Amino acid sequence: MNLRSAFVMGSALLVGAVTSADAEELRYAVGYPPGAAAIDAAESAAKIIANASGGELTVKVYTSALLSFGEMEGGIRDGIADIGYMVTPYFPKDFPRTNLLNDMSMQLSNVGADVNKIAGMAYGGAMMEYIILNCPDCLAEYKAQNMVFTGVGPTASYHLLCNQPVTSAEALKGKRLRAGAGQWNRWAVALGASPVQITGQESLEAMKQGIIDCTVLSTVTALKDFQLINAVTDITLGVPGGVFAATPATTVNADVWKGLDTKKRSAFLRGAAYMSAAIPFIDHSRETAVVEEAAGKGIKTHEPEADLKAATASFLAQDASTVAELYSKAFGVANAPDMMAAFRPLLEKWVGLVNGIASVEDLAALYEQEIYSKIDFENYGN
């Protein structure tokens, strides 16, 4: 039996008739606007949870109208939502270990020569296995905020999207970049560019007005979600690399979690596995079509020149110690070097595991097999 069959069969076996009095409905705040891919994935996860629980546990998905990403921590903690799609860099002091793991994702390029097409799927698997099964201190950060960690949904690889060709280290110097999280800001500075602190949603107008020359994002997010297809002229693939993985996409209010019996917890984690798989798989699977659409509009794609690759590799060789020192001094993560050393072999493992994955269901089943099946449903999160 393949992984997809096992996943589907496992869900189907739990379906049964339940009276409305037995059913419990949870509110899921996703934070994206209507029509976003994450909303569709959340709706699919909700169906899996309902089926796996035999209708005893249902989930109603809410868009950004309920909670924005900036409001998500307080909203989950205080019970405005039962489940929420977290973006932990909004709350750096509360989730430093999750953010540390996210802040080293450019190291993916040191794991394999060609990881761009599987980066989000691999990084998500490694990050979830580390946090859930190997990092009690990580889980304690969520517990302190009255939350239970149940998964992440990373993006696809980050590339350089510009309004002019930027393929060499020399061409990057002096460019103004919307670079987002810490590692990409540090890369930009190290290579002589100037990071500009704006949100991804502001990138389109900023590029049109000449405030930025480039943005560092996944192609799907940049070109489609933020509509930069109307401003970008050139894409340099593979640099800076890395993924955005500080996205605990199905974080649960701890009081709600404690009220769920083991059957409902098991059912919920089936949905969490699907959500964690859907976000990166869909992002990766849409890349080819989006780049082709961009080409149809005259947008050119490039490979980075040797000097840009070399400069990026030199930056990465130094940045690991920078990350460890930053999180140790600024956020009190005294064991940051040990965390990074323990995470590296898991990342190598997951780069191998996700090769050949052909569907969201297969990826969700792999996450179930390698991570979720090893959770003690009765005691996890208590």
Side-chain angles (χ1 to χ4, degrees):
M1 180 184 297
N2 63 29
L3 287 172
R4 179 176 181 176
S5 298
F7 181 82
V8 174
M9 182 176 290
S11 295
L13 288 174
L14 290 173
V15 177
V18 179
T19 67
S20 59
D22 295 323
E24 180 176 2
E25 184 175 85
L26 304 182
R27 296 158 296 173
Y28 184 7
V30 178
Y32 281 96
I39 299 294
D40 294 337
E43 294 284 5
S44 295
K47 291 176 183 177
I48 288 170
I49 292 168
N51 286 339
S53 68
E56 291 183 23
L57 185 64
T58 61
V59 173
K60 185 173 182 179
V61 176
Y62 291 85
T63 64
S64 54
L66 179 60
L67 291 171
S68 69
F69 289 120
E71 298 167 330
M72 199 64 69
E73 180 187 43
I76 303 169
R77 183 190 62 227
D78 300 336
I80 296 170
D82 303 311
I83 315 159
Y85 193 118
M86 290 280 292
V87 180
T88 56
Y90 278 98
F91 319 106
K93 293 183 179 179
D94 293 334
F95 303 100
R97 288 168 177 82
T98 298
N99 292 334
L100 183 157
L101 295 172
N102 176 66
D103 210 7
M104 55 182 285
S105 74
M106 279 181 64
Q107 299 291 333
L108 268 162
S109 64
N110 290 326
V111 177
D114 185 17
V115 296
N116 283 330
K117 293 182 180 179
I118 59 170
M121 298 184 287
Y123 211 83
M127 198 163 168
M128 290 187 293
E129 180 172 347
Y130 182 79
I131 291 175
I132 292 173
L133 302 179
N134 297 284
C135 187
D137 288 341
C138 299
L139 298 177
E141 292 177 352
Y142 291 86
K143 187 173 184 179
Q145 300 304 318
N146 197 37
M147 299 175 188
V148 177
F149 174 89
T150 63
V152 294
T155 65
S157 297
Y158 269 34
H159 307 290
L160 195 58
L161 299 100
C162 303
N163 59 10
Q164 57 192 285
V166 180
T167 61
S168 68
E170 185 61 32
L172 186 62
K173 290 180 180 178
K175 293 295 184 291
R176 294 158 298 176
L177 273 62
R178 184 271 168 189
Q183 60 189 326
W184 298 298
N185 281 326
R186 295 191 301 272
W187 172 80
V189 170
L191 272 67
S194 300
V196 178
Q197 299 303 312
I198 59 173
T199 67
Q201 291 92 332
E202 295 170 318
S203 294
L204 176 60
E205 285 306 313
M207 191 171 286
K208 284 183 174 181
Q209 294 174 19
I211 297 170
I212 61 172
D213 303 302
C214 305
T215 190
V216 176
L217 280 169
S218 73
T219 53
V220 174
T221 299
L223 298 177
K224 299 300 289 183
D225 296 346
F226 297 153
Q227 287 298 298
L228 278 162
I229 199 167
N230 298 311
V232 165
T233 62
D234 293 84
I235 303 169
T236 303
L237 299 171
V239 290
V243 300
F244 188 80
T247 50
T250 51
T251 305
V252 189
N253 173 280
D255 298 323
V256 170
W257 179 262
K258 289 171 185 175
L260 301 178
D261 61 25
T262 55
K263 179 181 178 181
K264 288 179 179 178
R265 290 183 180 187
S266 176
F268 179 83
L269 291 174
R270 284 187 178 276
Y274 180 90
M275 188 69 177
S276 293
I279 299 301
F281 186 90
I282 291 170
D283 208 15
H284 278 295
S285 64
R286 292 173 64 199
E287 280 186 303
T288 300
V290 168
V291 170
E292 288 177 354
E293 181 182 347
K297 291 181 175 289
I299 298 173
K300 298 177 181 179
T301 58
H302 311 275
E303 293 295 325
E305 295 179 29
D307 70 329
L308 183 52
K309 289 182 179 179
T312 300
S314 177
F315 162 77
L316 287 175
Q318 302 296 321
D319 195 53
S321 59
T322 300
V323 171
E325 183 177 359
L326 170 65
Y327 281 87
S328 178
K329 290 185 176 180
F331 301 109
V333 184
N335 66 334
D338 295 333
M339 283 183 63
M340 296 170 73
F343 182 72
R344 175 61 183 263
L346 289 180
L347 187 55
E348 293 173 349
K349 165 189 167 180
W350 277 93
V351 166
L353 284 175
V354 301
N355 265 316
I357 288 292
S359 70
V360 174
E361 290 80 10
D362 281 354
L363 184 58
L366 181 62
Y367 289 162
E368 264 210 295
Q369 174 182 292
E370 295 292 326
I371 304 165
Y372 292 92
S373 67
K374 299 173 184 178
I375 291 175
D376 177 354
F377 294 143
E378 185 172 352
N379 294 307
Y380 185 76
N382 289 349

